Amino acid sequence: MTPANIPICQRIRSLLHLLIFLILSQPGLVWAGASSASWVVVVNGNSVNSRSLANHFCALRNIPFRNVVILKTLPDRDRVTVDEFRELILGPVLREIEARGLTPVIQGIVYSSDMPTSVSIQGDLTELKERSQYLTPVASINGLTYMFRWVQAKNPAYIGFDSNWYAAREGSSLLNVVTGSPEVRQQLQEWIENGQHEKAAEEFERLRTALGNPFPSDFLAARQWALAGNKDKAIERLSLSIRNGWRYRREITNDPAFDSLSEDPKFKQVVARCPNDDFRYLSTRGFDARTFYAPNTLEATKPEQGMSYMLSMVLSVTRDQGITHPEAVAHLQRSALADYSRPNGSFYFAKTSDVRTTTREPTFALAVEKLKALRMDARVINYQLPPFGSRTSGVMFGMAEYDWSRTGSRLMPGSIAESLTSFGGAMTTDSQTKGTELLRFGAAASSGAVTEPYAIQSKFPNPMMHVHYAEGLTCAEAFYESLLCPYQLLIFGDPLCQPFAEPPRFRISGVDNRQRVTGDLEMTLTATEDENTVDPVHLMWMVDGAPKTETVFQNKIRIQVGKNDRGAQEWRLIAKGPKPLENRFEQSVWVSLGDAESEITLKASEAWSTDEGDKVPFEIVNAPEGKTIGLRHDWEIIAKQPAASPKFLIDPDWLGYGPVRLQGVVLDDDGKVTLASQPVTIVLTKSATRD
């Protein structure tokens, strides 16, 4: 099967296809932002609750079947050692991502319930000669997953106060010199202090060649050339800096270093081209797992110049001090409905004498200013919780214990609520209110530390998190965009919730869901008529969750189905919007390839309860003789037998409850799927009398 407008290199069948591929295909496009196909869902295969919560999330978010990973050798406890985390959780998940061909597209890993939530990392810290008493040896499962490269290498750099270089921060961080030896940096400082500006300028120009994005170095060189009295070189470097990404006009016009150029026509012309972004805090940008971020937050061209990350959250905690399983399901249902809804509530920042709020208070005013510029209602309040009767789109407060039900404030669907409480993620202790409590009362996400983190701002989300969210990032992106030191924070909730996003939404026409297709087929992508959408820039085409081709966006796609193509497939199209957010939007259809005679069918009830028996019945119709057939739940083969015995009786606890997605499949001698049926979703419910 070959798309003519979105070609696949491995399946080129003619010179015409090759020419189209060379013209349209753009290997290596950087795909920031996140959507359903870019998340892997990790499930504890020994837990009915974990399977059930994952069932609900995958159905609500249309997660590709390929993206569900089941782990069956997990310890039945909340805390594991870092070696256990690598061997039993992180390593197996990363290997599955690679084996399933998902490495180019995965942006995040989300854990279902009944997973270990905290990790003892003492084993990775034994070689550290010096360690701050505030960098304690307990981490969260999602914090270590985010910093997976350091963790896999057993490099304790992941505990650093500023280990997340994707996170936004003050604009001055751009000007950090991130290459060169300490001796070179010291020499630069001496030249600048001694007025040897020409030498400093030449050194900044030399250093730029080692930077992935050199515009800060160009800006610093321009300053030194201006101070050295070389106007031509100063303007040349400044122009280059703006062309490559410098967006802060006021930092030029208000800098005394450029006073001598202020009346120069060329200088005025260059400055006029520069955007006037706010230098107090870096602009919001979409996350990309394939980008290596340098310590000054910019993209690096070589891995050794920076670090790449993987978004990660936990859907919920439904044991110990967490919420109940039904409450966790209800939370995910609310958050899924919040996308693009732009909730009409207020953002509250509680300013009290509690140390939990005083350490974050310096950024409250800036966050409020930015939210108001986005036409959001935002305010700093001088009491602990939002006022009675308020509608809360976001909140940041600090209390060890609280009862949200007594506030009379409604957490709007899609809201992020942060209590900034030390033990909000320590799920086996009964001290302090847990972050999951805010999910119970309507928030899409919250967080809490898995151990005493101390009142250190970098270990908690910066108040600017609410600005990143309101500007259109997904929930997970907003957290990590605002978190400098994430290793101890347990982040709960729906990572894909995006109530303020404006993605390039579209509809697919030319093919209906479950349509049989042969020969040539043309699909049309039509933009949704909505003011809260943007024009698409790039397009990705996926088959059964596997990435096939990425290209510039096109409205019409012609697919050529080969004579030997058969069985059911999911075709998924993902459009990506412009920088810096690069919001994504997905649509998918299931199709049947080939003739009906070669198709197998999975027969099952639409709904089934344990009141009807101990086992759920399934039957595969039209299975080819002499073959092995299997029953697949998402990507897990849960049963197989000869085609001559096409009926299965499955213990529902193996599947979990809620909307369960299944396919009948034909397997070859190596256990590889060669043919799949159209999927069936059966809603399984558990009677109150079943253990």
Side-chain angles (χ1 to χ4, degrees), residues 6-319:
I6 305 183
I8 305 173
C9 183
Q10 296 89 338
R11 304 286 299 276
I12 296 298
R13 295 176 178 173
S14 69
L15 178 59
L16 175 61
H17 291 167
L18 178 59
L19 290 173
I20 294 174
F21 176 80
L22 292 174
I23 294 170
L24 296 180
S25 178
Q26 296 186 25
L29 287 175
V30 175
W31 273 69
S35 58
S36 298
S38 61
W39 279 84
V40 161
V41 181
V42 180
V43 185
N44 181 348
N46 301 317
S47 163
V48 176
N49 273 0
S50 188
R51 286 183 177 272
S52 300
L53 192 63
N55 287 340
H56 284 279
F57 179 71
C58 291
L60 287 165
R61 288 299 184 182
N62 191 24
I63 302 294
F65 292 13
R66 185 185 296 264
N67 292 32
V68 182
V69 175
I70 309 294
L71 301 180
K72 296 182 179 179
T73 58
L74 296 177
D76 186 21
R77 59 181 187 271
D78 181 70
R79 181 170 296 178
V80 294
T81 67
V82 68
D83 285 333
E84 289 175 320
F85 173 70
R86 276 189 285 261
E87 294 168 10
L88 302 177
I89 301 175
L90 183 61
V93 172
L94 294 178
R95 287 193 292 272
E96 281 298 308
I97 289 173
E98 182 177 4
R100 299 182 191 187
L102 293 173
T103 304
V105 294
I106 293 303
Q107 298 278 64
I109 296 170
V110 64
Y111 295 100
S112 189
S113 57
D114 285 1
M115 301 286 297
T117 57
S118 67
V119 183
S120 171
I121 59 172
Q122 187 64 56
D124 281 356
L125 308 183
T126 55
E127 300 300 319
L128 276 183
K129 296 180 180 179
E130 297 181 4
R131 171 166 58 92
S132 167
Q133 62 176 321
Y134 302 116
L135 296 174
T136 50
V138 178
S140 72
I141 183 175
N142 57 264
L144 294 191
T145 302
Y146 181 75
M147 295 181 290
F148 71 102
R149 291 191 183 276
W150 274 322
V151 173
Q152 287 293 82
K154 300 183 180 182
N155 184 341
Y158 60 76
I159 71 171
F161 288 118
D162 186 12
S163 55
N164 178 13
W165 301 334
Y166 161 69
R169 59 203 73 197
E170 294 80 6
S172 58
S173 63
L174 290 177
L175 303 179
N176 294 335
V177 178
V178 297
T179 57
S181 65
E183 291 78 15
V184 169
R185 293 194 288 272
Q186 178 64 33
Q187 181 66 76
L188 268 170
Q189 186 64 30
E190 291 178 4
W191 283 336
I192 292 171
E193 291 176 353
N194 295 333
Q196 295 173 282
H197 300 297
E198 184 172 337
K199 285 187 176 181
E202 290 173 344
E203 184 62 18
F204 280 124
E205 289 190 4
R206 187 189 68 81
L207 288 172
R208 77 181 300 277
T209 60
L211 295 175
N213 195 326
F215 72 80
S217 185
D218 287 330
F219 176 79
L220 292 171
R223 291 185 79 254
Q224 295 305 308
W225 283 124
L227 291 169
N230 193 324
K231 292 185 178 182
D232 290 339
K233 286 193 174 182
I235 293 172
E236 177 187 347
R237 280 294 151 198
L238 189 61
S239 178
L240 190 61
S241 176
I242 294 169
R243 191 182 314 138
N244 287 332
W246 186 267
R247 301 178 57 85
Y248 311 99
R249 186 190 306 166
R250 279 188 295 270
E251 293 306 301
I252 302 172
T253 57
N254 295 341
D255 190 338
F258 295 110
D259 284 352
S260 62
L261 308 180
S262 61
E263 299 303 319
D264 188 292
K266 290 183 179 179
F267 175 78
K268 291 181 178 180
Q269 186 179 21
V270 167
V271 171
R273 296 201 311 266
C274 184
N276 201 22
D277 287 3
D278 193 336
F279 197 63
R280 291 174 295 174
Y281 209 83
L282 296 179
S283 301
T284 301
R285 58 180 169 171
F287 173 85
D288 182 61
R290 281 149 298 283
T291 294
F292 283 78
Y293 298 94
N296 66 353
T297 82
L298 294 177
E299 298 176 6
T301 55
K302 300 177 181 178
E304 60 267 24
Q305 295 173 341
M307 181 55 60
S308 67
Y309 305 96
M310 182 80 72
L311 297 173
S312 185
M313 286 177 60
V314 174
L315 290 179
S316 196
V317 178
T318 59
R319 62 184 180 186

Side-chain angles (χ1 to χ4, degrees), residues 423-438:
F423 290 97
M427 305 309 296
T428 57
T429 67
D430 57 7
S431 62
Q432 303 189 351
T433 306
K434 307 308 170 190
T436 48
E437 186 75 5
L438 293 163

Side-chain angles (χ1 to χ4, degrees), residues 36-37 62-64 540-542 570-573 586-588:
S36 298
N62 191 24
I63 302 294
M540 179 179 287
W541 186 62
M542 308 180 78
E570 185 213 39
W571 292 354
R572 187 178 294 244
L573 294 163
E586 300 183 7
Q587 289 280 36
S588 68

Side-chain angles (χ1 to χ4, degrees), residues 209-507:
T209 60
L211 295 175
N213 195 326
F215 72 80
S217 185
D218 287 330
F219 176 79
L220 292 171
R223 291 185 79 254
Q224 295 305 308
W225 283 124
L227 291 169
N230 193 324
K231 292 185 178 182
D232 290 339
K233 286 193 174 182
I235 293 172
E236 177 187 347
R237 280 294 151 198
L238 189 61
S239 178
L240 190 61
S241 176
I242 294 169
R243 191 182 314 138
N244 287 332
W246 186 267
R247 301 178 57 85
Y248 311 99
R249 186 190 306 166
R250 279 188 295 270
E251 293 306 301
I252 302 172
T253 57
N254 295 341
D255 190 338
F258 295 110
D259 284 352
S260 62
L261 308 180
S262 61
E263 299 303 319
D264 188 292
K266 290 183 179 179
F267 175 78
K268 291 181 178 180
Q269 186 179 21
V270 167
V271 171
R273 296 201 311 266
C274 184
N276 201 22
D277 287 3
D278 193 336
F279 197 63
R280 291 174 295 174
Y281 209 83
L282 296 179
S283 301
T284 301
R285 58 180 169 171
F287 173 85
D288 182 61
R290 281 149 298 283
T291 294
F292 283 78
Y293 298 94
N296 66 353
T297 82
L298 294 177
E299 298 176 6
T301 55
K302 300 177 181 178
E304 60 267 24
Q305 295 173 341
M307 181 55 60
S308 67
Y309 305 96
M310 182 80 72
L311 297 173
S312 185
M313 286 177 60
V314 174
L315 290 179
S316 196
V317 178
T318 59
R319 62 184 180 186
D320 300 321
Q321 300 299 314
I323 58 179
T324 67
H325 175 72
E327 288 172 331
V329 171
H331 150 256
L332 292 176
Q333 291 169 336
R334 280 193 305 270
S335 63
L337 293 173
D339 286 359
Y340 325 131
S341 64
R342 302 186 69 81
N344 185 21
S346 300
F347 291 85
Y348 293 101
F349 301 89
K351 178 182 178 181
T352 68
S353 59
D354 194 308
V355 67
R356 296 171 180 85
T357 65
T358 56
T359 55
R360 288 101 191 162
E361 189 272 333
T363 321
F364 283 175
L366 180 60
V368 168
E369 176 189 328
K370 296 286 188 181
L371 287 165
K372 287 184 175 180
L374 295 170
R375 299 184 179 180
M376 307 285 180
D377 184 62
R379 59 191 75 179
V380 176
I381 54 177
N382 294 316
Y383 29 92
Q384 293 176 320
L385 292 167
F388 184 85
S390 57
R391 294 159 59 92
T392 302
S393 291
V395 62
M396 192 164 276
F397 64 98
M399 294 178 65
E401 296 182 355
Y402 57 90
D403 182 353
W404 187 269
S405 65
R406 301 186 65 179
T407 67
S409 175
R410 178 190 174 194
L411 286 168
M412 302 297 290
S415 60
I416 293 178
E418 272 298 302
S419 63
L420 304 175
T421 302
S422 294
F423 290 97
M427 305 309 296
T428 57
T429 67
D430 57 7
S431 62
Q432 303 189 351
T433 306
K434 307 308 170 190
T436 48
E437 186 75 5
L438 293 163
L439 306 187
R440 172 185 282 136
F441 285 98
S446 188
S447 69
V450 294
T451 188
E452 175 57 66
Y454 301 97
I456 298 171
Q457 168 61 77
S458 65
K459 289 190 177 188
F460 290 92
N462 189 286
M464 287 293 289
M465 171 182 65
H466 292 291
V467 177
H468 302 315
Y469 197 41
E471 288 185 328
L473 292 187
T474 60
C475 187
E477 290 176 290
F479 265 96
Y480 288 103
E481 177 86 292
S482 63
L483 187 57
L484 298 178
C485 178
Y487 87 97
Q488 292 183 319
L489 199 69
L490 190 64
I491 307 175
F492 320 94
D494 183 348
L496 284 163
C497 192
Q498 46 184 335
F500 302 100
E502 297 180 355
R505 287 187 273 176
F506 63 88
R507 298 186 302 274

Side-chain angles (χ1 to χ4, degrees), residues 491-636:
I491 307 175
F492 320 94
D494 183 348
L496 284 163
C497 192
Q498 46 184 335
F500 302 100
E502 297 180 355
R505 287 187 273 176
F506 63 88
R507 298 186 302 274
I508 297 176
S509 58
V511 61
D512 296 324
N513 199 41
R514 297 182 181 257
Q515 177 179 323
R516 184 170 304 284
V517 296
T518 57
D520 287 1
L521 173 75
E522 184 174 81
M523 291 190 292
T524 301
L525 279 56
T526 306
T528 302
E529 295 181 3
D530 191 310
E531 62 179 6
N532 295 324
T533 189
V534 297
D535 292 333
V537 177
H538 292 121
L539 185 68
M540 179 179 287
W541 186 62
M542 308 180 78
V543 174
D544 288 338
K548 293 299 180 183
T549 302
E550 53 191 77
T551 182
V552 294
F553 185 82
Q554 301 172 62
N555 294 104
K556 293 188 181 295
I557 303 161
R558 196 175 77 253
I559 304 294
Q560 293 180 336
V561 178
K563 293 181 180 180
N564 296 324
D565 293 326
R566 62 196 186 102
Q569 288 185 343
E570 185 213 39
W571 292 354
R572 187 178 294 244
L573 294 163
I574 308 174
K576 180 172 72 70
K579 288 181 177 292
L581 302 183
E582 300 182 274
N583 292 134
R584 301 184 185 195
F585 185 77
E586 300 183 7
Q587 289 280 36
S588 68
V589 293
W590 282 89
V591 296
S592 292
L593 309 182
D595 54 57
E597 288 72 22
S598 65
E599 181 174 321
I600 64 172
T601 302
L602 175 62
K603 295 180 66 176
S605 303
E606 292 183 358
W608 191 89
S609 168
T610 54
D611 290 329
E612 300 177 45
D614 292 332
K615 301 290 180 68
V616 191
F618 300 95
E619 183 178 3
I620 295 178
V621 178
N622 200 33
E625 295 182 4
K627 297 291 186 179
T628 299
I629 58 172
L631 188 64
R632 184 164 70 181
H633 173 212
D634 290 332
W635 210 245
E636 179 190 22

